[in-house]
């Protein structure tokens, strides 16, 4: 097993843990559904995070994660930045309420949206850095969708409007769906 295979194993564990945390939080919310004040915006972000994880794992399969091109520990650290940020983003998509707390998802989203959006934006920036490392930046659907998602996330940090959050999450869902439907099986 070479370093790329070891890296992919570690990356898969990191990303899988983030997905597990998010889905575990969703399961807790479903189990306590009579106490929860649901927020469809947070659930839309969950759908986006599932698509993002699928896209990332597909990139791993295709060898586009950069682990095969890493030649130094610093480059490997750079390659590990996107999955670490993806972990934080997916894990923070849904609340993990304490049993005695107010289970209001909308209030939780309002209180924590900035951290969620920031980690998602940092994830996007880190994928740009890995693309530079691997030399895979070109004017294609990957680059355009990556730039569009980052621009939408930055705009959300500037425009603090629930309506704008909805518009952005729907556009990001569309871009992620487009990315997944245009990736060919090799």
């Amino acid at each position: 097993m070479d370093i790329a295979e070891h890296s992919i194993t570690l990356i898969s564990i990191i990303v899988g843990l983030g997905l597990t945390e998010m889905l575990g939080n969703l399961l807790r919310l479903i189990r306590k559904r009579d106490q929860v004040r649901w927020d469809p915006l947070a659930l839309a972000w969950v759908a986006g995070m599932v698509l993002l994880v699928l896209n990332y794992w597909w990139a791993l399969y295709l060898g586009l994660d950069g682990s095969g091109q890493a030649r130094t520990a610093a480059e490997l650290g750079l390659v590990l930045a996107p999955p670490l940020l993806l972990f934080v983003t997916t894990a923070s998509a849904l609340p993990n309420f304490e049993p005695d707390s107010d289970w209001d998802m909308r209030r939780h989203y309002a209180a924590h949206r900035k951290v969620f959006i920031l980690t998602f934006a940092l994830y996007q920036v880190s994928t740009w850095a890995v693309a530079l490392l691997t030399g895979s930046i070109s004017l294609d659907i990957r680059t355009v969708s990556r730039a569009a998602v980052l621009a939408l996330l930055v705009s959300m940090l500037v425009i603090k409007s629930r309506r704008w959050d909805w518009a952005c999450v729907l556009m990001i869902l569309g871009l992620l769906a487009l990315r997944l439907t245009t990736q060919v099986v090799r």
Side-chain angles (χ1 to χ4, degrees):
M1 195 179 267
D2 65 1
I3 189 68
E5 291 168 333
H6 281 288
S7 300
I8 289 172
T9 302
L10 176 61
I11 289 167
S12 293
I13 290 168
I14 293 167
V15 174
L17 286 172
L19 188 61
T20 301
E21 179 73 18
M22 183 179 69
L23 295 176
N25 288 342
L26 180 60
L27 180 61
R28 280 185 284 286
L29 291 167
I30 290 170
R31 285 185 177 155
K32 298 286 188 173
R33 64 187 165 276
D34 55 329
Q35 296 175 348
V36 175
R37 279 184 291 246
W38 293 92
D39 183 9
L41 181 57
L43 297 175
W45 278 117
V46 168
M49 293 301 99
V50 169
L51 292 178
L52 194 65
V53 167
L54 286 173
N55 182 57
Y56 193 82
W57 259 321
W58 191 253
L60 277 174
Y61 172 73
L62 295 176
L64 301 174
D65 66 308
S67 58
Q69 289 83 4
R71 299 289 174 244
T72 67
E75 289 176 350
L76 182 60
L78 180 62
V79 167
L80 288 175
L84 290 170
L85 289 164
L86 185 55
F87 165 83
V88 174
T89 306
T90 54
S92 64
L94 285 175
N96 185 6
F97 292 121
E98 296 297 323
D100 59 343
S101 67
D102 180 25
W103 290 50
D104 187 342
M105 288 177 63
R106 187 173 183 152
R107 188 177 349 199
H108 183 274
Y109 177 79
H112 297 278
R113 74 179 279 283
K114 187 175 180 181
V115 171
F116 173 75
I117 295 165
L118 251 170
T119 57
F120 192 0
L122 288 172
Y123 166 78
Q124 289 298 114
V125 169
S126 69
T127 62
W128 278 96
V130 170
L132 285 170
L133 171 72
T134 61
S136 62
I137 290 187
S138 61
L139 192 56
D140 60 6
I141 189 75
R142 285 183 297 177
T143 304
V144 171
S145 64
R146 197 179 284 140
V149 168
L150 182 58
L152 288 167
L153 292 168
V154 169
S155 76
M156 288 174 69
L157 291 171
V158 174
I159 302 169
K160 295 173 179 83
S161 160
R162 190 162 168 87
R163 253 192 186 142
W164 184 243
D165 285 6
W166 264 112
C168 289
V169 73
L170 293 174
M171 287 186 275
I172 289 170
L173 280 168
L175 287 165
L176 290 170
L178 177 67
R179 275 290 292 129
L180 287 170
T181 58
T182 58
Q183 292 180 12
V184 291
V185 177
R186 293 184 195 176

